[in-house]
Amino acid sequence: MAALSKSIPHNCYEIGHTWHPRCAMAVVHVSRSALAESLRIYGTLYLIAAILRKRKLDYYLYKLLPEILQSTSFLTANGTLYIACFCILRKILGKFYIWSPGFGAALPASYMAILIERKSRRGLLTIYMANQATETLFRMAVARGTITPLRHGEVLLFCITAALFMFFFRCKDGLKGFTYSALKFIVGKEEIPTHSFSPEAAFSKADRKIKPCEKVSQPINILTLTKKLMDKVCKHGPRHRCCKHYGDNCISYCIKGFIRMFSIGYLIQCCLRIPSTFRHLFTQPSRLLSLFYNKENFQLGAFLGSFVSIYKGTSCFLRWMRNLDDELHALVAGCLAGISMMFYKSTTISMYLASKLVETIYFKGIEAGKVPYFPHADSIIYAISTSICFQAAVMEVQNLRPSYWKFLLRLTKGRFALMNRKALDVFGTEASKYFKDFTPKLDPRYTVVPPELPLELS
């Protein structure tokens, strides 16, 4: 409580918008930079999403631009309202407390901003920011010695999350929407327990489809021989009667799953590296090779490939051992498959999936009537989560996720780094830890406390 009541007398110019003494001009500057960056982000995002979803011409003519503008308005308002609330709160309180420049200013700004965004996107934004805030709070607790980080903690969290997600995936009406479709794409429809036909009928049906192809005369070449050999290896082998991968035996089923997801993971990482590689293509042509032979490409591929192969292999093994197909197998298979994150450790992925799992369980509780429904809960959680991240961005940047800090710098054209964090060091959060060499040049005519490096007036 003593720390919360501690205050400094500086005004908003001395702490926040050090580049300009007038609050109105500072708001305009932040608004301009936020608008430009928001247009770039959402223009690219919505266009790529529309292409991937194969939207019709009507969408491009009538819906694409309004959606881009609405999301752009939301993000621009978040940045603009933050600096406005920053100045207003200082004028109301007459001083700065440890919570006011970050959490206090961001809370009303974030809540008003999220109301501008479409309702269909608020849940996704809430999950993203809740993930950021949880990780930030964890970093803060570790920095203060409250929590001791667990070795490979992100892998353990992913194992638990994967086990529960795969269990819900196997249960009837366990998952819906994008999460169900994503897991179906990753592990395959063969792991869905309910099918419209029996295993024996489907297997004989597959045989009937294959037999006529054998009578067709084909020229003997390497490709034909290789294809025949692969067909024999895949189809003539051990397959339990409960397994629904009718075209493959259990061994080839796992191997094919690994190869497929390894290729997808490798290509995803390559695509993510294309912009940075081509930016330096003419100055450093040798970087083109790193696009294909980068270690991260193989790490993501190994992570996805091993996840699928371990999950499928464990599921097949348990079907052989217990002589039945059970949803509980997914708990064991998902947990063991989670070990694959050792190839591609990512706190971001673990925290995001854990947040998504909590959301899934919460909505299941609402459907079952066990958990109460809170109106506007997504907007409130978003505002609180964003406020926590802004508190860290102002008072202890070292505990904020680096990617989110870079995003804030892009959104404000670097102005977030121009805050006078040396004056905030009195609160004991090491606010200026990464800004030791920066001291703002302030105009003494607009300051309350004599500046360390006053602006030279003509």
Side-chain angles (χ1 to χ4, degrees), residues 123-134:
L124 184 63
L125 289 167
T126 300
I127 290 294
Y128 173 75
M129 288 311 304
N131 175 27
Q132 293 276 1
T134 305

Side-chain angles (χ1 to χ4, degrees), residues 420-439:
N420 188 6
R421 288 176 170 82
K422 286 187 177 180
L424 299 173
D425 279 339
V426 296
F427 294 113
T429 59
E430 296 182 299
S432 66
K433 184 176 181 179
Y434 290 169
F435 307 91
K436 295 293 185 183
D437 298 329
F438 174 73
T439 303

Side-chain angles (χ1 to χ4, degrees), residues 294-311:
N294 189 271
K295 185 173 73 172
E296 289 185 1
N297 298 0
F298 296 98
Q299 287 176 335
L300 182 60
F303 163 51
L304 293 177
S306 58
F307 178 86
V308 172
S309 59
I310 292 172
Y311 178 81

Side-chain angles (χ1 to χ4, degrees), residues 279-439:
R279 198 180 303 136
H280 303 92
L281 180 62
F282 298 103
T283 55
Q284 295 175 298
S286 59
R287 293 191 63 170
L288 185 62
L289 291 175
S290 67
L291 175 66
F292 302 102
Y293 295 102
N294 189 271
K295 185 173 73 172
E296 289 185 1
N297 298 0
F298 296 98
Q299 287 176 335
L300 182 60
F303 163 51
L304 293 177
S306 58
F307 178 86
V308 172
S309 59
I310 292 172
Y311 178 81
K312 290 182 174 182
T314 306
S315 297
C316 289
F317 176 76
L318 290 173
R319 284 190 282 261
W320 279 97
M321 291 294 294
R322 300 187 66 205
N323 200 29
L324 58 88
D325 192 15
D326 192 353
E327 290 85 355
L328 293 175
H329 292 172
L331 284 171
V332 180
C335 186
L336 292 177
I339 301 173
S340 61
M341 183 167 268
M342 294 294 292
F343 290 109
Y344 192 80
K345 290 184 181 180
S346 174
T347 306
T348 303
I349 294 175
S350 297
M351 294 295 293
Y352 175 79
L353 291 177
S355 303
K356 194 69 179 174
L357 179 63
V358 171
E359 181 198 35
T360 302
I361 295 173
Y362 172 68
F363 280 112
K364 282 189 167 297
I366 293 174
E367 290 177 2
K370 302 291 180 66
V371 179
Y373 172 72
F374 298 100
H376 308 293
D378 52 356
S379 302
I380 295 170
I381 295 172
Y382 171 84
I384 294 173
S385 301
T386 306
S387 302
I388 292 170
C389 293
F390 270 68
Q391 177 71 13
V394 174
M395 301 300 299
E396 39 193 311
V397 179
Q398 62 274 15
N399 293 324
L400 189 67
R401 188 185 295 175
S403 60
Y404 191 72
W405 172 243
K406 290 177 183 177
F407 163 72
L408 291 177
L409 291 179
R410 290 199 311 270
L411 194 67
T412 59
K413 290 287 191 293
R415 292 187 178 91
F416 221 122
L418 301 180
M419 297 183 75
N420 188 6
R421 288 176 170 82
K422 286 187 177 180
L424 299 173
D425 279 339
V426 296
F427 294 113
T429 59
E430 296 182 299
S432 66
K433 184 176 181 179
Y434 290 169
F435 307 91
K436 295 293 185 183
D437 298 329
F438 174 73
T439 303

Side-chain angles (χ1 to χ4, degrees), residues 159-295:
C159 288
I160 298 170
T161 306
L164 291 173
F165 260 128
M166 298 315 300
F167 174 72
F168 287 135
F169 175 71
R170 289 293 308 273
C171 291
K172 187 177 181 181
D173 297 328
L175 292 175
K176 298 176 183 177
F178 175 77
T179 308
Y180 176 82
S181 301
L183 288 177
K184 182 181 175 181
F185 172 78
I186 292 171
V187 299
K189 62 183 179 180
E190 296 86 1
E191 295 300 327
I192 301 173
T194 53
H195 284 266
S196 59
F197 41 79
S198 63
E200 290 76 10
F203 189 63
S204 61
K205 186 177 180 181
D207 287 341
R208 285 197 299 270
K209 286 183 179 178
I210 295 166
K211 285 177 181 177
C213 297
E214 294 175 356
K215 298 177 182 178
V216 179
S217 59
Q218 295 179 351
I220 300 174
N221 53 39
I222 296 175
L223 290 175
T224 306
L225 292 173
T226 305
K227 188 175 182 301
K228 285 184 177 180
L229 180 63
M230 289 299 296
D231 287 341
K232 287 182 179 180
V233 171
C234 293
K235 291 176 177 59
H236 300 285
R239 184 189 71 84
H240 193 269
R241 63 181 181 83
C242 293
C243 292
K244 299 178 178 64
H245 45 88
Y246 308 115
D248 297 291
N249 60 55
C250 293
I251 298 172
S252 64
Y253 175 60
C254 298
I255 294 173
K256 282 184 176 181
F258 176 84
I259 294 172
R260 174 176 171 270
M261 289 311 299
F262 179 89
S263 304
I264 291 173
Y266 177 85
L267 291 174
I268 288 173
Q269 196 64 40
C270 282
C271 292
L272 291 175
R273 294 180 60 85
I274 284 174
S276 60
T277 302
F278 277 89
R279 198 180 303 136
H280 303 92
L281 180 62
F282 298 103
T283 55
Q284 295 175 298
S286 59
R287 293 191 63 170
L288 185 62
L289 291 175
S290 67
L291 175 66
F292 302 102
Y293 295 102
N294 189 271
K295 185 173 73 172

